[in-house]
Amino acid sequence: MGSFSRRALLMAGAGAGAGMLTACGSNTGRGGGGSGTRLSQWYHQYGEPGAEQAVQRYAAAYRKAHVSVQWRPGNYDQQTAAALLTDSGPDVFEVNGPTLDQIQGGQVLDLTELLAGVKDDFNPAVLTPKTYDGRVWGIPQVIDMQLLYYRRSLLADAGIEPPTTLDALVEAARKLTDGKVKGLFLGNDGGAGVLGGTPLYAAGLQLVTAEGKVGFDDPAAARTLGKLHRLYADKSLLLGAPSDWSDPAAFVQGLTAMQWSGLWALPQVRKELGDDFGVLPFPKDGDHGRPSVPVGAYAAAVSARGRHKEAAKEYVKWLWVERTDYQEDFALSYGFHIPARISLAKKAAKLRKGAAADAVRFATDHGYSQPLLWTPAGQTAYQDALSRIIGSGADPERELRAVVRAVADELDRVKKKS
């Protein structure tokens, strides 16, 4: 899988950053089969073979307009952010968002009406961050998720049950560590880069509450994050692996007994290990904790500066609401992802057995997405603190006090723009 893929939104933190517009792609798409109205549609450059040809095929099948697909290499988030400020941008575009700035700035259209009668069939974990002020601004396409892989044989040989609490995970990682194998791999930085808010949700907390307040101003946050340092201090974590957490190589090569990675890794893990693995959500912590599964979804959005707004909305409804056959094809024929529609995820043949079925259940029951109000500034403050807590043993309470202040200020700033 190339560096630009559906998993990117789970690897890059929150939102698009500022910067220069990078190289734009050319129009490499076949036109849609319709005549008359001409629509342009943008996608980021997927690394999965066949994905580009698939979206061209979908567009060509549409009869009510001529849809021209563009495959956009480079920094796609920056490209679209810049293009939405001009009259030469796309009519329909894929977006890791839409972002709060795009919604508040009137750059995208309200798509709530497109989901009439089917809204409850979209996984709420990925639909909620596309919703602002009670209105839906992007239609989720497919779901990516992170989860914990474990070697059944290694745990069984050590007499260890698959961990369902954070304390059990810390203890299991310590017991599974020996001279050749580490107990757990959370990434080469010890987990600060990938875990994000996942441990907070496992403690029963949130990044941002439904009321727009800081969701982790609670002693439980410090207790939970402190346990991540225990993993580091116990030398239970694999560090310096040849590839990072998104690649299951360390796990399938036997360098670690457990690894945090993504659903996209499951076909490779199954090919290498057969049935000698299982998957789990991030385990709960504390009396009020719950299992935690980070999920994310690119969405289809419609530009407010397009010349054919209603036609663009009609096309989005056709492709991402009505054509469930295309939605399942896009999720599972060019990589391994979960359809955004709950009904499709439950009936898809590739997701009905074993670890894949477990993953769908985890995403449905325990999935969370970064909230719309979680801005890059808040993300950076939290991420830096988490890195110091895990790797340097910095005091979690002191670190989190500073983060709470920074995030509260950022939330006040954002809400004033509403």
Side-chain angles (χ1 to χ4, degrees):
M1 188 180 292
S3 59
F4 291 94
S5 67
R6 278 176 270 201
R7 73 186 181 200
L9 75 166
L10 282 172
M11 298 171 64
M20 297 297 291
L21 181 65
T22 54
C24 293
S26 58
N27 182 351
T28 58
R30 297 193 299 267
S35 59
T37 302
R38 303 182 70 88
L39 300 175
S40 63
Q41 181 183 24
W42 286 13
Y43 290 87
H44 82 286
Q45 184 183 23
Y46 289 81
E48 299 156 326
E52 181 178 7
Q53 290 74 24
V55 297
Q56 291 170 353
R57 188 175 73 252
Y58 306 156
Y62 189 61
R63 313 313 302 178
K64 294 185 178 180
H66 182 96
V67 183
S68 178
V69 174
Q70 291 193 26
W71 207 243
R72 310 288 293 192
N75 190 319
Y76 179 81
D77 288 341
Q78 291 185 2
Q79 289 183 42
T80 52
L84 291 177
L85 301 175
T86 74
D87 293 327
S88 59
D91 297 290
V92 177
F93 63 102
E94 181 180 64
V95 62
N96 180 6
T99 66
L100 192 60
D101 284 344
Q102 289 167 346
I103 296 169
Q104 291 179 332
Q107 297 172 12
V108 292
L109 294 185
D110 177 356
L111 304 182
T112 308
E113 65 188 66
L114 305 189
L115 296 184
V118 297
K119 183 178 178 182
D120 289 346
D121 193 37
F122 281 80
N123 188 310
V126 292
L127 184 61
T128 299
K130 320 298 183 192
T131 304
Y132 180 70
D133 199 23
R135 313 301 292 172
V136 177
W137 303 90
I139 309 300
Q141 297 175 170
V142 299
I143 298 173
D144 275 316
M145 63 179 293
Q146 297 167 7
L147 67 172
L148 181 67
Y149 290 81
Y150 66 94
R151 287 288 294 272
R152 294 185 186 276
S153 59
L154 293 180
L155 270 66
D157 290 347
I160 296 172
E161 292 292 324
T164 57
T165 68
L166 183 54
D167 289 331
L169 177 65
V170 172
E171 184 65 11
R174 185 183 64 80
K175 289 182 176 179
L176 290 163
T177 297
D178 60 26
K180 297 180 180 179
V181 179
K182 288 290 188 178
L184 179 62
F185 184 40
L186 296 174
N188 285 322
D189 63 355
V194 62
L195 290 180
T198 301
L200 298 178
Y201 282 83
L205 306 173
Q206 304 173 71
L207 291 170
V208 180
T209 68
E211 297 74 31
K213 303 292 186 181
V214 178
F216 52 93
D217 188 6
D218 188 293
R223 288 196 299 269
T224 295
L225 298 189
K227 293 176 183 180
L228 301 180
H229 175 65
R230 279 179 50 197
L231 285 163
Y232 190 95
D234 287 348
K235 301 188 185 318
S236 301
L237 296 178
L238 174 64
L239 303 171
S243 56
D244 216 340
W245 67 271
S246 62
D247 185 341
F251 182 66
V252 299
Q253 292 171 11
L255 301 179
T256 181
M258 299 180 289
Q259 177 174 337
W260 188 253
S261 190
L263 180 66
W264 54 81
L266 197 149
Q268 182 181 346
V269 172
R270 187 167 52 203
K271 179 181 178 181
E272 298 290 338
L273 301 180
D275 293 329
D276 187 22
F277 79 98
V279 295
L280 293 168
F282 193 89
K284 65 181 180 180
D285 188 47
D287 294 338
H288 302 290
R290 56 180 183 257
S292 177
V293 174
V295 298
Y298 276 94
V302 176
S303 171
R305 298 189 70 143
R307 284 174 291 192
H308 306 289
K309 299 179 181 63
E310 292 305 314
K313 289 167 64 175
E314 190 173 357
Y315 173 64
V316 168
K317 181 177 182 179
W318 174 82
L319 180 55
W320 294 115
V321 179
E322 296 174 352
R323 289 304 301 256
T324 54
D325 54 339
Y326 288 163
Q327 293 157 35
E328 183 174 341
D329 179 66
F330 190 60
L332 290 162
S333 297
Y334 321 99
F336 205 71
H337 315 273
I338 301 174
R341 301 280 292 271
I342 296 172
S343 59
L344 292 181
K346 287 182 176 179
K347 75 175 187 178
K350 293 182 179 180
L351 299 174
R352 294 182 69 177
K353 296 189 301 182
D358 290 338
V360 171
R361 179 165 50 85
F362 298 155
T364 303
D365 295 346
H366 309 304
Y368 86 89
S369 293
Q370 287 187 340
L372 190 58
L373 292 177
W374 186 246
T375 67
Q379 168 83 2
T380 298
Y382 173 75
Q383 200 84 12
D384 290 348
L386 185 59
S387 181
R388 290 189 291 270
I389 292 167
I390 293 176
S392 303
D395 178 62
E397 292 184 5
R398 184 176 65 248
E399 292 287 339
L400 284 172
R401 279 197 297 271
V403 175
V404 166
R405 289 194 298 270
V407 172
D409 290 344
E410 180 67 2
L411 291 172
D412 286 342
R413 181 191 68 81
V414 167
K415 286 183 284 188
K416 286 178 181 176
K417 293 173 63 178
S418 300

